[in-house]
Amino acid sequence: MAVDLPDVIDRYFRAVGDGDVDAFVACFADTASVADEDRLYDGRPSIRSWRERTMAEYSYTAEPVRVTPQAGDSYLVLTRLSGDFPGSPVELRYRFTLRDDLIGALDIRP
């Protein structure tokens, strides 16, 4: 199913699928933050480390299922993850907050 995503969110998911860490990090603002698995990653260097760690631990695909615009410049993207991690497949909610056409914040939750 094709989902119409804002450009930077589409680039985010393409970078995940391609395994391109540089393209992935380039989707984020310099002062962006990511909340995932009860941890907070602040700034591009921390986000890069988080991405490299998750790539080393698991192989998975992330497929956007549905996007819902939220207040401000935020989008809730229901995402199906399938891979070699416990509980696969799983659907998670990715809340993207955009800033200057980049991701300013990402919150990933069940």
Side-chain angles (χ1 to χ4, degrees):
M1 173 204 307
V3 177
D4 188 23
L5 299 169
D7 180 63
V8 71
I9 298 174
D10 182 59
R11 287 188 285 124
Y12 169 93
F13 283 108
R14 279 190 279 131
V16 168
D18 294 343
D20 187 338
V21 176
D22 290 333
F24 180 88
V25 173
C27 293
F28 290 88
D30 290 337
T31 58
S33 64
V34 173
D36 183 36
E37 296 180 332
D38 297 323
R39 290 189 170 155
L40 186 62
Y41 306 91
D42 286 316
R44 282 183 170 175
S46 182
I47 292 168
R48 176 181 292 278
S49 294
W50 163 69
R51 178 66 185 143
E52 289 171 342
R53 181 182 52 79
T54 58
M55 286 177 64
E57 290 179 11
Y58 306 109
S59 295
Y60 66 92
T61 59
E63 175 190 357
V65 175
R66 182 176 60 245
V67 62
T68 307
Q70 304 287 290
D73 211 3
S74 294
Y75 298 85
L76 183 63
V77 181
L78 181 63
T79 304
R80 182 175 298 113
L81 275 68
S82 301
D84 61 358
F85 57 89
S88 176
V90 64
E91 287 188 350
L92 299 177
R93 293 175 294 154
Y94 285 53
R95 182 177 306 277
F96 292 90
T97 301
L98 305 186
R99 184 173 60 230
D100 298 325
D101 297 320
L102 293 171
I103 299 167
L106 171 58
D107 185 26
I108 302 171
R109 300 192 184 264

